[in-house]
Amino acid sequence: MRNYQIHLIRHGRTAGNRQGRFIGATDLPLSGAGREQLRTLAEQCHYPSAELVYTAAHTRAVQTAEILYPGLERVAVPELCEMSFGVFEGKSPEELKQNEAFLQWAQGGMTGAPPGGEDGKQFAARIAAGFTAVMEDLFRRRAFSCAVICSGSALLSVIMQFTRGHGDDMFRWMVDSGCGYTLLLNPQLWMNDRVLEAAERIPYQLSDDVDFKKIYFGE
């Protein structure tokens, strides 16, 4: 039985990311530096081929798809969008340090829902529904490979909910912008347990000359 390949990739950076702001539901585009970083990765590394691309319904995810997978059909999946930070959207911790609601949220480990936003359980359930919808659409199309482009937290949520053998260490699965993992889906395992295998980290390095530190940090 043929396995499916799902290339799960974190979208590129925005100005809000660089400024350390809470950017969830806010629809920011990629920054100039974010675009350049993705172009450099696409030129110096190798992204696995795909038959189509699913993206979170954010401009930054769509623009990432345009750079990494130009010309491929794109399908927007609103359920894969970043967590909503409610009234904290667009603000930095520094700007919120005198906000009582923010202080209570931060002291609670940022796991509860910010005023007007989502909590961790709501976010995880939404991501699970969106990723399941992607798999069902892939089956309907009889396509065996796709890229899924979303935020770093959505990527981690998929890994933690749908792959086996990940343990409890979420942080070891964190990746930089433009990076991610190839997941292998065996139809029988999916039907029985809704589980995938995390196979390889992407993009693939083409040579030892690639300086990832320079690509990510401009050093």
Side-chain angles (χ1 to χ4, degrees), residues 13-170:
R13 296 175 183 170
T14 68
N17 297 143
R18 184 179 181 85
Q19 295 162 3
R21 299 182 181 276
F22 291 106
I23 304 299
T26 306
D27 190 19
L28 291 185
L30 295 176
S31 65
R35 286 176 173 274
E36 184 59 32
Q37 179 196 63
L38 291 175
R39 291 192 185 102
T40 301
L41 283 171
E43 290 171 0
Q44 298 190 19
C45 303
H46 173 69
Y47 285 87
S49 61
E51 295 174 65
L52 72 159
V53 185
Y54 297 92
T55 73
H58 285 311
T59 300
R60 54 192 182 267
V62 173
Q63 290 176 334
T64 298
E66 291 171 345
I67 293 171
L68 299 184
Y69 289 95
L72 282 191
E73 177 184 358
R74 295 190 302 273
V75 179
V77 185
E79 293 85 356
L80 292 179
C81 287
E82 175 63 288
M83 178 185 291
S84 171
F85 294 105
V87 298
F88 303 149
E89 281 283 336
K91 298 180 175 64
S92 68
E94 177 66 22
E95 293 170 336
L96 292 165
K97 65 182 181 181
Q98 303 299 326
N99 184 304
E100 186 62 32
F102 174 74
L103 294 176
Q104 291 179 1
W105 181 61
Q107 289 167 2
M110 299 184 179
T111 56
E118 293 177 286
D119 65 25
K121 290 183 178 179
Q122 291 171 324
F123 175 67
R126 175 165 60 76
I127 294 299
F131 188 74
T132 300
V134 167
M135 296 301 95
E136 291 173 350
D137 188 62
L138 201 65
F139 298 151
R140 282 195 298 268
R141 292 170 179 266
R142 298 187 179 182
F144 285 91
S145 64
C146 70
V148 178
I149 298 177
C150 57
S151 68
S153 58
L155 181 151
L156 288 176
S157 186
V158 169
I159 292 287
M160 300 305 289
Q161 293 188 80
F162 290 101
T163 66
R164 63 183 181 183
H166 57 67
D168 296 320
D169 186 4
M170 177 179 69

